[in-house]
Amino acid sequence: MKTQALAALIVLSSATFAAAAPAMQNVYARSGTTLDGKWHVIVDPYENGAYNYRRDPLDAAPNPTSGYFLDRRPRDRTDLVEYDFDASPTLMVPGDWNSQDDKLFWYEGTVWYRTRFDFTASPGMERQFLHFGAANYQADVYLNGAKLGRHVGGFTQFEYEVTGKLKPAGNSVVVKVDNTRHADAVPTVNTDWWNYGGLTRDVTLVETPRSFIRDYEVRLAPARAGAAARLALSVQLDGASGPTPVTVDIPEAGVRARLMTDAAGSARLEVPVRKLTFWSPQQPKLYEVRLSSGKDLVVDRAGFRRIEVRGNQVLLNGAPVFLRGISLHEENPLRGGRAYSEEDARLLLGWARELGCNFVRLAHYPHNEHMARVADELGLMLWEEIPVYWTIAWDNADTLANAKDQLTALIDRDRNRASVIVWSVANETPVSEPRTRFLKSLVDAARALDATRLVSAAMEVHVDPEDNNHRIVDDPFGAYTDLLSFNQYIGWYDGLPDKLDRIRWTFAYDKPVVISEFGADALQGMHGDALTRFSEEYQQDLYRRTLAMLSKIPQWRGTTPWILVDFRSPRRPLPVIQDGWNRKGLIGENGTKKKAFFVLQDFYRKDADSHAGGK
Ligand code: GCU
């Protein structure tokens, strides 16, 4: 399967990080033990647990004798050990530390996490993997005092094989999590969201047979005129000792395919399928897919749909569609902190459904896996993005490798989700040669990993120097994307809402125009006239005028206004009104809808689809 492209990317990235092997597909369908729960933690702003006073890394010593990763207890009363996980406070995993402890609300730096567990292998299961849904931002992982590796990137899964490294009792997993921001990181030092730190997603000890199905893809094969639909199946085994049979069963679609892997454990096959209900927001049909090989069985639910662009139209299953969207951050405002659970996904995507959406932009980084799986079920199309946000270090090869790592992990994880229709490689990045080269290389990587979805980014707009009411979208990066998507804040950062009535647009590309952001801050419950900033009436008026302006654009095919619900941001200090919240939500942090929510809902119910471009 795509191992060559993947291998090339890994080679590229391994030069920079001791990266973990690509995580296995569909970890939630595997057998294993959750390590979620209370973990003991040590807050370590000076990284005292990792470096000695000479700043030498303690885990670099051949037989380290100190360092919190050893999780050591004093041998006797004379033994000097200046930390004690058992006596230290605990934090819940999954979860960020900022919303769990007021003392850590603003904290950026290192926190050591430690859990202990006993282990007995399940029958027939000969291999074990320590799997992390995500850890923000850099995680150094240790098992029983030995380093397993380092993962960089706050929003992607990673795992380490620990077969043969586990003890029957008292296994110690220690993770040094550091969310310090760095200029050459992805994201870089400046963002408009809270830098939640910690083991933010599920941690699982996964068990598999000696040979198991590490990765697979089930999707609709490209259409052939007049030919019946076909499914493209591909699998990648891990641990097979030579060519091995794999069966793919999709009972409801009448598919039972037998594949034989090559010596490297990979196989692919296209099979005709007589009757198939295509996945769509109106009918989010999911099929049970059962993949088995030897002792291994992986069960998934997948939908089959086609997404493409034709001229300036977006086609879903061959028919023009308007993307009735909304943007959202991975945060549960009601509980506070990073969202991580299926319930969180149902809360947030449920609100999007209520708004009348068929599309959601998961901004600005890969959200947890539950989001795409719940979107599959609810019939919401998704835009997924990596945090190449604002002023990234464009000329830094490690930064590019990091961005590619995150893109690869995202595509690997969600490649079987029908809901995902767009891979976005960036947001609001200033036009320059190095920037466009960097982004082009991400587009190439995305297309190499997955040629079946659209690729885009939130691009730049500029004002006509001759005419302040004329906006031009001719970002050179637009030449490489499937959509022409950009953010615009006319009426909030750029003038007052009445300006929207006078604006005209010019686009350098005949591509579907998707407005990836527009909006205005409003404190829920604050009222005034339509010119009172931060009032619900101002936001309401801006939405009305923006939708009217956009409706005049012939190639307008969708939008994801900023944003579904208020979210935390360290860039929003205005007392009483913002208090550390970006208030551009259509829903307040307490879950109460603002007036503009109903303006957009009304538009989505009555007018939006007329802009799909179908005649
Ligand atoms: C930007 C950016 C968002 C930010 C928003 C805002 O466009 O992409 O991340 O939150 O504007 O200023 O509210």
Side-chain angles (χ1 to χ4, degrees):
M1 193 176 65
K2 301 185 174 49
T3 21
Q4 295 75 22
L6 192 54
L9 286 168
I10 292 173
V11 171
L12 182 82
S13 65
S14 58
T16 321
F17 316 109
M24 65 185 77
Q25 181 73 223
N26 192 4
V27 79
Y28 287 112
R30 311 282 177 164
S31 69
T33 320
T34 180
L35 296 180
D36 290 351
K38 285 191 174 158
W39 290 48
H40 286 278
V41 295
I42 300 175
V43 179
D44 185 15
Y46 287 55
E47 299 181 283
N48 187 50
Y51 299 93
N52 66 15
Y53 75 114
R54 289 272 181 269
R55 201 71 191 164
D56 305 324
L58 295 167
D59 65 2
N63 296 310
T65 54
S66 63
Y68 298 172
F69 51 86
L70 294 175
D71 187 12
R72 203 163 75 70
R73 305 207 33 78
R75 277 183 296 276
D76 56 45
R77 72 186 188 293
T78 68
D79 188 7
L80 173 59
V81 178
E82 294 184 279
Y83 67 93
D84 178 351
F85 276 110
D86 291 328
S88 299
T90 61
L91 286 173
M92 283 304 289
V93 171
D96 60 273
W97 60 63
N98 313 73
S99 62
Q100 291 189 59
D101 181 337
D102 291 349
K103 296 192 297 303
L104 298 175
F105 182 62
W106 291 96
Y107 181 68
E108 294 182 297
T110 284
V111 172
W112 294 83
Y113 283 77
R114 193 279 328 250
T115 194
R116 285 208 168 152
F117 61 93
D118 300 343
F119 174 73
T120 309
S122 308
M125 297 296 168
E126 296 160 48
R127 298 173 68 184
Q128 297 82 36
F129 298 81
L130 206 47
H131 184 275
F132 296 82
N136 191 44
Y137 174 76
Q138 178 175 290
D140 293 296
V141 183
Y142 303 83
L143 173 65
N144 297 330
K147 185 154 191 178
L148 295 176
R150 164 176 288 184
H151 182 262
V152 171
F155 305 98
T156 46
Q157 70 287 3
F158 56 101
E159 70 186 29
Y160 300 99
E161 177 152 15
V162 292
T163 306
K165 296 179 178 169
L166 295 170
K167 305 181 291 185
N171 291 288
S172 159
V173 173
V174 173
V175 187
K176 174 186 185 295
V177 183
D178 179 3
N179 73 337
T180 304
R181 289 169 286 124
H182 300 280
D184 61 357
V186 180
T188 182
V189 288
N190 191 14
T191 72
D192 191 28
W193 68 80
W194 208 268
N195 183 23
Y196 292 113
L199 294 177
T200 49
R201 294 182 191 157
D202 298 319
V203 183
T204 314
L205 181 68
V206 181
E207 294 185 81
T208 71
R210 187 181 44 71
S211 166
F212 72 98
I213 300 164
R214 168 173 283 288
D215 196 3
Y216 57 86
E217 185 173 26
V218 284
R219 60 174 169 77
L220 212 48
R224 282 202 213 131
R230 299 180 330 286
L231 296 182
L233 311 173
S234 46
V235 294
Q236 177 66 52
L237 295 183
D238 183 325
S241 51
T244 306
V246 179
T247 303
V248 179
D249 262 324
I250 312 178
E252 234 190 313
V255 168
R256 183 173 177 80
R258 288 183 65 77
L259 296 79
M260 181 58 78
T261 68
D262 60 19
S266 69
R268 67 176 60 217
L269 183 68
E270 284 195 9
V271 290
V273 54
R274 271 189 318 290
K275 215 170 110 357
L276 199 66
T277 304
F278 284 8
W279 182 96
S280 69
Q282 298 80 3
Q283 197 177 10
K285 172 65 185 167
L286 298 177
Y287 288 84
E288 181 180 80
V289 180
R290 304 172 66 81
L291 303 105
S292 55
S293 176
K295 292 191 200 134
D296 198 24
L297 169 67
V298 183
V299 179
D300 205 341
R301 297 175 71 215
F304 303 104
R305 54 98 190 95
R306 222 181 287 289
I307 188 76
E308 56 206 308
V309 159
R310 188 177 55 203
N312 62 33
Q313 291 178 337
V314 178
L315 305 182
L316 176 66
N317 301 328
V321 66
F322 182 86
L323 303 175
R324 294 182 262 115
I326 193 75
S327 294
L328 98 86
H329 265 297
E330 188 191 37
E331 196 177 75
N332 178 337
L334 307 185
R335 185 193 55 233
R338 272 266 166 258
Y340 54 76
S341 66
E342 188 177 330
E343 295 68 40
D344 293 338
R346 291 191 187 286
L347 171 74
L348 297 167
L349 298 178
W351 277 333
R353 285 298 280 181
E354 226 181 303
L355 188 54
C357 294
N358 62 5
F359 183 54
V360 174
R361 176 187 180 198
L362 301 182
H364 293 292
Y365 37 77
H367 289 212
N368 64 77
E369 188 173 345
H370 298 296
M371 295 295 264
R373 288 186 176 278
V374 172
D376 267 9
E377 219 182 285
L378 296 183
L380 284 167
M381 295 178 279
L382 292 181
W383 158 306
E384 296 200 315
E385 187 163 296
I386 56 170
V388 174
Y389 182 94
W390 289 349
T391 50
I392 294 285
W394 307 116
D395 290 316
N396 183 318
D398 286 347
T399 303
L400 178 59
N402 180 354
K404 279 187 177 162
D405 247 15
Q406 298 189 36
L407 182 64
T408 306
L410 174 60
I411 296 178
D412 270 352
R413 189 196 70 189
D414 289 353
R415 69 170 69 251
N416 292 309
R417 305 279 71 79
S419 54
V420 182
I421 63 166
V422 182
W423 304 120
S424 167
V425 297
N427 178 71
E428 282 190 359
T429 51
V431 174
S432 73
E433 250 305 295
R435 166 264 196 183
T436 302
R437 211 176 26 249
F438 187 109
L439 298 189
K440 168 82 172 50
S441 141
L442 289 173
V443 168
D444 296 345
R447 296 201 195 283
L449 287 161
D450 174 23
T452 70
R453 290 181 173 87
L454 312 182
V455 178
S456 194
M459 285 174 263
E460 297 294 275
V461 180
H462 64 94
V463 181
D464 178 346
E466 314 295 311
D467 172 357
N468 189 28
N469 291 325
H470 183 205
R471 295 290 176 281
I472 302 169
V473 184
D474 58 0
D475 186 327
F477 181 59
Y480 308 118
T481 59
D482 297 302
L483 304 174
L484 197 54
S485 40
F486 52 91
N487 303 345
Q488 65 83 29
Y489 280 93
I490 300 162
W492 183 252
Y493 295 126
D494 172 1
L496 294 172
D498 68 324
K499 188 170 188 172
L500 289 154
D501 310 343
R502 301 186 293 277
I503 296 292
R504 64 189 178 86
W505 291 89
T506 298
F507 304 106
Y509 311 94
D510 182 28
K511 294 184 177 184
V513 165
V514 174
I515 312 296
S516 35
E517 288 180 36
F518 73 83
D521 281 57
L523 176 63
Q524 190 276 318
M526 176 173 156
H527 296 288
D529 67 13
L531 284 175
T532 303
R533 292 234 179 216
F534 298 107
S535 70
E536 290 196 34
E537 287 72 18
Y538 189 111
Q539 189 189 47
Q540 179 187 43
D541 181 49
L542 180 135
Y543 267 72
R544 284 199 182 111
R545 291 176 194 257
T546 302
L547 294 169
M549 172 193 71
L550 297 176
S551 296
K552 287 182 260 171
I553 298 173
Q555 63 204 99
W556 182 39
R557 302 291 179 243
T559 185
T560 50
W562 195 258
I563 184 166
L564 178 68
V565 60
D566 292 357
F567 64 95
R568 282 211 173 276
S569 167
R571 300 177 72 251
R572 311 293 167 171
L574 183 61
V576 184
I577 291 183
Q578 295 179 324
D579 286 330
W581 292 87
N582 182 311
R583 297 289 184 194
K584 293 191 181 66
L586 293 176
I587 300 174
E589 99 231 29
N590 55 12
T592 307
K593 298 175 178 69
K594 305 174 191 177
K595 287 185 172 183
F597 180 99
F598 303 102
V599 171
L600 188 61
Q601 185 187 55
D602 206 44
F603 179 80
Y604 281 169
R605 286 195 175 143
K606 296 192 184 119
D607 310 315
D609 294 348
S610 66
H611 295 278
K615 289 287 169 281

Short mmCIF file of all heavy atoms in Angstrom, two decimals, residues 191-193 329 361 363-364 385 389-390 427-428 458 487-489 492-493 516-521 562-563 567 569 571-572 582-584, ligand 1:
data_model
loop_
_atom_site.label_atom_id
_atom_site.label_comp_id
_atom_site.label_asym_id
_atom_site.label_seq_id
_atom_site.Cartn_x
_atom_site.Cartn_y
_atom_site.Cartn_z
N THR A 191 -0.67 31.67 19.14
CA THR A 191 -1.94 31.12 18.66
C THR A 191 -3.07 31.82 19.40
O THR A 191 -2.87 32.40 20.47
CB THR A 191 -2.07 29.61 18.93
OG1 THR A 191 -2.27 29.42 20.33
CG2 THR A 191 -0.88 28.83 18.45
N ASP A 192 -4.26 31.71 18.83
CA ASP A 192 -5.43 32.28 19.51
C ASP A 192 -6.24 31.17 20.15
O ASP A 192 -7.47 31.12 20.04
CB ASP A 192 -6.29 33.07 18.51
CG ASP A 192 -7.36 33.92 19.20
OD1 ASP A 192 -7.13 34.33 20.36
OD2 ASP A 192 -8.42 34.15 18.59
N TRP A 193 -5.56 30.17 20.76
CA TRP A 193 -6.26 29.17 21.55
C TRP A 193 -5.40 28.82 22.77
O TRP A 193 -4.22 29.16 22.81
CB TRP A 193 -6.59 27.92 20.72
CG TRP A 193 -5.44 27.07 20.28
CD1 TRP A 193 -4.75 26.14 21.01
CD2 TRP A 193 -4.85 27.03 18.97
NE1 TRP A 193 -3.78 25.55 20.25
CE2 TRP A 193 -3.80 26.08 18.99
CE3 TRP A 193 -5.09 27.72 17.78
CZ2 TRP A 193 -3.01 25.80 17.87
CZ3 TRP A 193 -4.31 27.43 16.67
CH2 TRP A 193 -3.29 26.47 16.71
N HIS A 329 -13.38 24.59 17.90
CA HIS A 329 -12.17 24.16 18.59
C HIS A 329 -12.49 22.89 19.38
O HIS A 329 -13.64 22.61 19.69
CB HIS A 329 -11.70 25.24 19.56
CG HIS A 329 -10.66 26.15 18.99
ND1 HIS A 329 -9.42 25.71 18.59
CD2 HIS A 329 -10.67 27.48 18.72
CE1 HIS A 329 -8.71 26.73 18.13
NE2 HIS A 329 -9.44 27.81 18.20
N ARG A 361 -15.64 22.60 10.28
CA ARG A 361 -14.19 22.76 10.21
C ARG A 361 -13.62 22.51 11.60
O ARG A 361 -13.93 23.27 12.53
CB ARG A 361 -13.82 24.16 9.72
CG ARG A 361 -12.31 24.42 9.72
CD ARG A 361 -11.98 25.87 9.41
NE ARG A 361 -10.54 26.08 9.41
CZ ARG A 361 -9.98 27.29 9.51
NH1 ARG A 361 -10.73 28.38 9.64
NH2 ARG A 361 -8.67 27.41 9.49
N ALA A 363 -10.92 23.11 13.75
CA ALA A 363 -9.78 24.04 13.74
C ALA A 363 -8.92 23.84 15.00
O ALA A 363 -9.48 23.50 16.05
CB ALA A 363 -10.31 25.48 13.69
N HIS A 364 -7.76 24.17 14.81
CA HIS A 364 -6.76 24.36 13.77
C HIS A 364 -5.76 23.22 13.80
O HIS A 364 -4.62 23.39 13.39
CB HIS A 364 -6.00 25.67 14.00
CG HIS A 364 -6.80 26.92 13.84
ND1 HIS A 364 -7.27 27.33 12.62
CD2 HIS A 364 -7.20 27.82 14.75
CE1 HIS A 364 -7.94 28.48 12.80
NE2 HIS A 364 -7.91 28.79 14.06
N GLU A 385 -7.49 19.72 9.89
CA GLU A 385 -6.39 20.65 9.68
C GLU A 385 -5.20 20.34 10.57
O GLU A 385 -5.37 19.77 11.65
CB GLU A 385 -6.93 22.06 9.99
CG GLU A 385 -6.04 23.24 9.70
CD GLU A 385 -6.84 24.55 9.67
OE1 GLU A 385 -7.72 24.68 8.79
OE2 GLU A 385 -6.62 25.39 10.56
N TYR A 389 0.04 27.38 11.49
CA TYR A 389 -0.83 28.51 11.85
C TYR A 389 0.01 29.78 12.00
O TYR A 389 1.00 29.80 12.74
CB TYR A 389 -1.49 28.15 13.18
CG TYR A 389 -2.48 29.13 13.79
CD1 TYR A 389 -3.85 29.02 13.56
CD2 TYR A 389 -2.04 30.13 14.64
CE1 TYR A 389 -4.76 29.89 14.15
CE2 TYR A 389 -2.94 31.01 15.25
CZ TYR A 389 -4.30 30.88 15.00
OH TYR A 389 -5.22 31.74 15.61
N TRP A 390 -0.39 30.82 11.27
CA TRP A 390 0.28 32.12 11.30
C TRP A 390 1.77 32.00 10.89
O TRP A 390 2.09 31.45 9.86
CB TRP A 390 0.08 32.79 12.65
CG TRP A 390 -1.34 33.26 12.85
CD1 TRP A 390 -2.32 33.31 11.87
CD2 TRP A 390 -1.96 33.73 14.05
NE1 TRP A 390 -3.49 33.82 12.42
CE2 TRP A 390 -3.29 34.08 13.76
CE3 TRP A 390 -1.52 33.92 15.36
CZ2 TRP A 390 -4.18 34.59 14.71
CZ3 TRP A 390 -2.44 34.45 16.30
CH2 TRP A 390 -3.73 34.77 15.97
N ASN A 427 -3.38 27.69 8.15
CA ASN A 427 -4.34 28.75 8.45
C ASN A 427 -3.65 30.10 8.53
O ASN A 427 -2.68 30.28 9.29
CB ASN A 427 -5.03 28.49 9.78
CG ASN A 427 -6.01 29.61 10.12
OD1 ASN A 427 -7.06 29.75 9.51
ND2 ASN A 427 -5.62 30.44 11.09
N GLU A 428 -4.13 31.05 7.69
CA GLU A 428 -3.70 32.46 7.75
C GLU A 428 -2.19 32.60 7.81
O GLU A 428 -1.63 33.21 8.72
CB GLU A 428 -4.30 33.13 8.99
CG GLU A 428 -5.76 33.49 8.80
CD GLU A 428 -6.31 34.36 9.92
OE1 GLU A 428 -5.55 34.66 10.87
OE2 GLU A 428 -7.48 34.73 9.83
N ALA A 458 -6.66 27.84 4.84
CA ALA A 458 -7.27 29.17 4.95
C ALA A 458 -6.24 30.17 4.43
O ALA A 458 -5.21 30.40 5.07
CB ALA A 458 -7.64 29.46 6.40
N ASN A 487 -10.12 33.37 5.18
CA ASN A 487 -10.83 34.00 6.29
C ASN A 487 -11.03 35.47 5.96
O ASN A 487 -10.18 36.10 5.35
CB ASN A 487 -9.98 33.89 7.57
CG ASN A 487 -9.64 32.45 7.90
OD1 ASN A 487 -10.22 31.51 7.36
ND2 ASN A 487 -8.66 32.27 8.79
N GLN A 488 -12.17 36.03 6.36
CA GLN A 488 -12.37 37.47 6.19
C GLN A 488 -13.16 38.00 7.38
O GLN A 488 -14.12 37.36 7.82
CB GLN A 488 -13.04 37.77 4.85
CG GLN A 488 -14.44 37.28 4.67
CD GLN A 488 -15.44 38.22 5.28
OE1 GLN A 488 -15.23 39.43 5.38
NE2 GLN A 488 -16.52 37.64 5.81
N TYR A 489 -12.72 39.14 7.90
CA TYR A 489 -13.36 39.73 9.09
C TYR A 489 -13.84 41.15 8.84
O TYR A 489 -13.68 42.05 9.69
CB TYR A 489 -12.40 39.66 10.28
CG TYR A 489 -12.39 38.28 10.90
CD1 TYR A 489 -11.46 37.32 10.51
CD2 TYR A 489 -13.35 37.91 11.84
CE1 TYR A 489 -11.47 36.04 11.04
CE2 TYR A 489 -13.38 36.64 12.39
CZ TYR A 489 -12.44 35.71 11.98
OH TYR A 489 -12.46 34.44 12.52
N TRP A 492 -15.62 43.47 11.49
CA TRP A 492 -15.15 43.33 12.87
C TRP A 492 -13.73 43.90 12.98
O TRP A 492 -13.55 44.97 13.57
CB TRP A 492 -15.20 41.87 13.32
CG TRP A 492 -14.79 41.73 14.75
CD1 TRP A 492 -13.62 41.20 15.22
CD2 TRP A 492 -15.48 42.20 15.92
NE1 TRP A 492 -13.56 41.28 16.60
CE2 TRP A 492 -14.69 41.90 17.06
CE3 TRP A 492 -16.71 42.84 16.11
CZ2 TRP A 492 -15.08 42.21 18.36
CZ3 TRP A 492 -17.10 43.16 17.42
CH2 TRP A 492 -16.29 42.84 18.52
N TYR A 493 -12.70 43.20 12.39
CA TYR A 493 -11.33 43.75 12.42
C TYR A 493 -11.16 44.79 11.31
O TYR A 493 -10.21 45.57 11.32
CB TYR A 493 -10.30 42.64 12.23
CG TYR A 493 -10.24 41.63 13.34
CD1 TYR A 493 -10.36 40.26 13.07
CD2 TYR A 493 -10.08 42.02 14.66
CE1 TYR A 493 -10.33 39.32 14.08
CE2 TYR A 493 -10.04 41.09 15.69
CZ TYR A 493 -10.16 39.74 15.39
OH TYR A 493 -10.14 38.81 16.41
N SER A 516 -13.61 30.26 5.08
CA SER A 516 -13.26 29.42 6.23
C SER A 516 -13.44 30.12 7.57
O SER A 516 -13.44 29.45 8.61
CB SER A 516 -11.82 28.91 6.08
OG SER A 516 -11.00 29.87 5.47
N GLU A 517 -13.57 31.44 7.57
CA GLU A 517 -13.89 32.17 8.80
C GLU A 517 -14.51 33.53 8.48
O GLU A 517 -14.09 34.18 7.52
CB GLU A 517 -12.64 32.44 9.66
CG GLU A 517 -12.03 31.23 10.35
CD GLU A 517 -10.80 31.60 11.18
OE1 GLU A 517 -10.79 32.70 11.78
OE2 GLU A 517 -9.86 30.79 11.20
N PHE A 518 -15.50 33.92 9.27
CA PHE A 518 -15.96 35.29 9.44
C PHE A 518 -16.67 35.32 10.79
O PHE A 518 -17.04 34.27 11.34
CB PHE A 518 -16.88 35.75 8.30
CG PHE A 518 -18.28 35.16 8.29
CD1 PHE A 518 -19.30 35.69 9.07
CD2 PHE A 518 -18.58 34.08 7.46
CE1 PHE A 518 -20.59 35.15 9.04
CE2 PHE A 518 -19.86 33.53 7.43
CZ PHE A 518 -20.89 34.08 8.22
N GLY A 519 -16.84 36.51 11.37
CA GLY A 519 -17.50 36.54 12.65
C GLY A 519 -17.22 37.80 13.43
O GLY A 519 -16.54 38.71 12.95
N ALA A 520 -17.78 37.83 14.64
CA ALA A 520 -17.63 38.99 15.53
C ALA A 520 -17.82 38.51 16.96
O ALA A 520 -18.56 37.56 17.21
CB ALA A 520 -18.69 40.04 15.20
N ASP A 521 -17.12 39.15 17.88
CA ASP A 521 -17.29 38.81 19.30
C ASP A 521 -18.61 39.35 19.84
O ASP A 521 -19.00 40.48 19.53
CB ASP A 521 -16.18 39.44 20.14
CG ASP A 521 -14.86 38.66 20.07
OD1 ASP A 521 -14.37 38.49 18.93
OD2 ASP A 521 -14.37 38.23 21.11
N TRP A 562 -16.69 31.62 12.07
CA TRP A 562 -15.89 31.55 13.32
C TRP A 562 -16.75 32.09 14.48
O TRP A 562 -16.80 33.27 14.69
CB TRP A 562 -14.60 32.35 13.14
CG TRP A 562 -13.58 32.04 14.19
CD1 TRP A 562 -13.28 32.80 15.28
CD2 TRP A 562 -12.76 30.85 14.28
NE1 TRP A 562 -12.31 32.18 16.03
CE2 TRP A 562 -11.98 30.99 15.44
CE3 TRP A 562 -12.63 29.71 13.51
CZ2 TRP A 562 -11.07 30.01 15.84
CZ3 TRP A 562 -11.73 28.74 13.89
CH2 TRP A 562 -10.96 28.88 15.05
N ILE A 563 -17.38 31.29 15.19
CA ILE A 563 -17.10 29.90 15.54
C ILE A 563 -18.33 29.36 16.27
O ILE A 563 -19.19 30.13 16.72
CB ILE A 563 -15.79 29.82 16.40
CG1 ILE A 563 -15.43 28.37 16.68
CG2 ILE A 563 -15.94 30.64 17.71
CD1 ILE A 563 -14.02 28.21 17.23
N PHE A 567 -14.54 30.13 23.12
CA PHE A 567 -13.42 29.27 23.53
C PHE A 567 -12.37 30.10 24.24
O PHE A 567 -12.28 31.32 24.05
CB PHE A 567 -12.83 28.56 22.30
CG PHE A 567 -12.23 29.47 21.29
CD1 PHE A 567 -10.87 29.75 21.29
CD2 PHE A 567 -13.01 30.09 20.32
CE1 PHE A 567 -10.31 30.61 20.36
CE2 PHE A 567 -12.47 30.96 19.38
CZ PHE A 567 -11.10 31.22 19.40
N SER A 569 -8.87 31.74 25.21
CA SER A 569 -7.68 32.22 24.51
C SER A 569 -6.92 33.18 25.40
O SER A 569 -7.52 34.10 25.97
CB SER A 569 -8.04 32.96 23.22
OG SER A 569 -6.89 33.67 22.76
N ARG A 571 -5.18 35.40 24.45
CA ARG A 571 -5.04 36.69 23.75
C ARG A 571 -6.26 37.58 23.95
O ARG A 571 -6.41 38.60 23.27
CB ARG A 571 -4.84 36.45 22.25
CG ARG A 571 -3.61 35.63 21.90
CD ARG A 571 -3.49 35.36 20.43
NE ARG A 571 -3.13 36.55 19.68
CZ ARG A 571 -3.98 37.19 18.86
NH1 ARG A 571 -5.21 36.76 18.72
NH2 ARG A 571 -3.59 38.27 18.19
N ARG A 572 -7.16 37.20 24.87
CA ARG A 572 -8.43 37.92 25.03
C ARG A 572 -8.64 38.38 26.47
O ARG A 572 -9.47 37.82 27.19
CB ARG A 572 -9.58 37.04 24.57
CG ARG A 572 -9.40 36.38 23.24
CD ARG A 572 -9.41 37.41 22.10
NE ARG A 572 -8.93 36.85 20.84
CZ ARG A 572 -8.99 37.48 19.66
NH1 ARG A 572 -9.47 38.71 19.61
NH2 ARG A 572 -8.54 36.90 18.58
N ASN A 582 -12.42 33.97 23.76
CA ASN A 582 -12.76 34.52 22.46
C ASN A 582 -14.27 34.38 22.35
O ASN A 582 -14.81 33.27 22.44
CB ASN A 582 -12.03 33.76 21.35
CG ASN A 582 -12.31 34.31 19.97
OD1 ASN A 582 -13.48 34.54 19.63
ND2 ASN A 582 -11.27 34.51 19.20
N ARG A 583 -14.95 35.49 22.18
CA ARG A 583 -16.42 35.51 22.29
C ARG A 583 -17.12 35.46 20.92
O ARG A 583 -18.24 35.93 20.78
CB ARG A 583 -16.86 36.77 23.03
CG ARG A 583 -16.39 36.87 24.46
CD ARG A 583 -17.09 35.91 25.36
NE ARG A 583 -16.71 36.06 26.78
CZ ARG A 583 -17.01 35.14 27.70
NH1 ARG A 583 -17.62 34.02 27.36
NH2 ARG A 583 -16.65 35.34 28.95
N LYS A 584 -16.41 34.92 19.92
CA LYS A 584 -17.03 34.88 18.59
C LYS A 584 -17.98 33.68 18.42
O LYS A 584 -18.52 33.42 17.34
CB LYS A 584 -15.97 34.86 17.48
CG LYS A 584 -15.18 36.14 17.40
CD LYS A 584 -14.32 36.21 16.16
CE LYS A 584 -13.54 37.51 16.16
NZ LYS A 584 -12.55 37.53 17.29
C1 GCU B 1 -8.22 34.24 13.01
C2 GCU B 1 -7.76 32.86 13.37
C3 GCU B 1 -8.53 32.28 14.52
C4 GCU B 1 -8.83 33.37 15.51
C5 GCU B 1 -9.77 34.35 14.84
C6 GCU B 1 -10.14 35.51 15.74
O1 GCU B 1 -8.71 34.29 11.82
O2 GCU B 1 -7.72 31.94 12.33
O3 GCU B 1 -7.75 31.27 15.09
O4 GCU B 1 -9.40 32.87 16.67
O5 GCU B 1 -9.15 34.92 13.73
O6 GCU B 1 -9.45 36.52 15.67
O7 GCU B 1 -11.08 35.40 16.50
#
